[in-house]
Amino acid sequence: MTPTLIVTRPAQQGEEFARVVRERYADQVRIILSPLIEISTLPVADDFPDLEGVIFTSAHAVGAVNLPAGITAWCVGPRTAECAKDAGFDVVVGPGDAKGLVELIVDRAPCGRLAHIRGQHARGNVAGTLQAHGLQCDDIVAYEQRALALTAEAKQALKGEFPVVLPLFSPRTATILSEQRQFVAPLHLVVMSDVVKKAAGTVGAQTITVAAQPNGQAMVGATFARLDALINNAS
């Protein structure tokens, strides 16, 4: 039984994730791209004369706002830091989650004004937490994450008898998926964190694997481990 992988990341990130899986498994895994979120920028005033640092808790935020060249970008993890570096920022790499990034910023206590560039749907209160620690930080909503329905191909796979592996990278995508539940296929979720696992609690999966770390590399590893188990059990 060939397992199916349904990739729910936004289009560009989903294609990158699918490419990594395809390079490892070739035709051993059927891959379906079915983004559950579409990213679109929102109008934001681009007057930041005294900004000394910017906070990115998602790679989607990089490029969403016109920012002064050469300022420091505090990035949630390696993938976001790579995007920010390519965009010309002086990057500081966080541990992979927003809470850890906030703790890093508080510990370093940068002087000057910061801005958290984020989407409409975000967990926690990065700007408010930093303000409570005496740091200057603006909260700037620069993009929206519009919910999408599963594609017809993905719905068909979830109605079938073959196992489906479905990685979820955020509580938002987990919630969107849970609203489209009533799946029949043996479903195996791979989630970024316990917070994502909780958001996916009503989906009814046979297994839920939590990545070892809340970052893309750990998600790839956890997805590979689940696919390996299904392929080996079928052989």
Side-chain angles (χ1 to χ4, degrees), residues 184-201:
V184 176
L187 179 60
H188 303 270
L189 297 182
V190 179
V191 299
M192 177 82 88
S193 66
D194 287 328
V195 174
V196 181
K197 179 181 179 180
K198 183 178 180 180

Side-chain angles (χ1 to χ4, degrees), residues 12-99:
Q12 181 178 349
Q13 290 80 9
E15 290 169 1
E16 293 174 0
F17 192 84
R19 175 183 55 79
V20 172
V21 175
R22 195 174 291 113
E23 287 176 353
R24 178 180 174 103
Y25 293 100
D27 59 357
Q28 289 184 290
V29 175
R30 176 191 179 197
I31 300 175
I32 297 174
L33 295 175
S34 181
L36 289 179
I37 287 176
E38 182 179 63
I39 305 297
S40 58
T41 57
L42 297 171
V44 175
D46 57 1
D47 183 19
F48 302 103
D50 59 344
L51 192 65
E52 295 194 13
V54 65
I55 301 166
F56 295 138
T57 49
S58 169
H60 300 307
V62 181
V65 177
N66 292 324
L67 295 165
I71 64 174
T72 298
W74 300 83
C75 301
V76 67
R79 177 72 182 93
T80 301
E82 181 183 350
C83 293
K85 186 176 181 180
D86 290 343
F89 292 94
D90 180 17
V91 304
V92 177
V93 185
D97 64 292
K99 182 176 181 292

Side-chain angles (χ1 to χ4, degrees), residues 129-182:
T129 302
L130 293 175
Q131 290 165 9
H133 283 85
L135 300 176
Q136 301 177 58
C137 187
D138 296 332
D139 184 50
I140 299 176
V141 178
Y143 61 92
E144 63 177 342
Q145 307 107 310
R146 187 170 66 86
L148 299 176
L150 290 161
T151 65
E153 186 180 14
K155 290 178 181 178
Q156 190 63 34
L158 288 163
K159 292 178 181 178
E161 61 184 55
F162 296 117
V164 173
V165 176
L166 203 156
L168 294 169
F169 286 75
S170 71
R172 171 81 170 146
T173 51
T175 299
I176 294 169
L177 180 71
S178 69
E179 292 170 351
Q180 303 179 55
R181 61 187 184 274
Q182 296 183 338

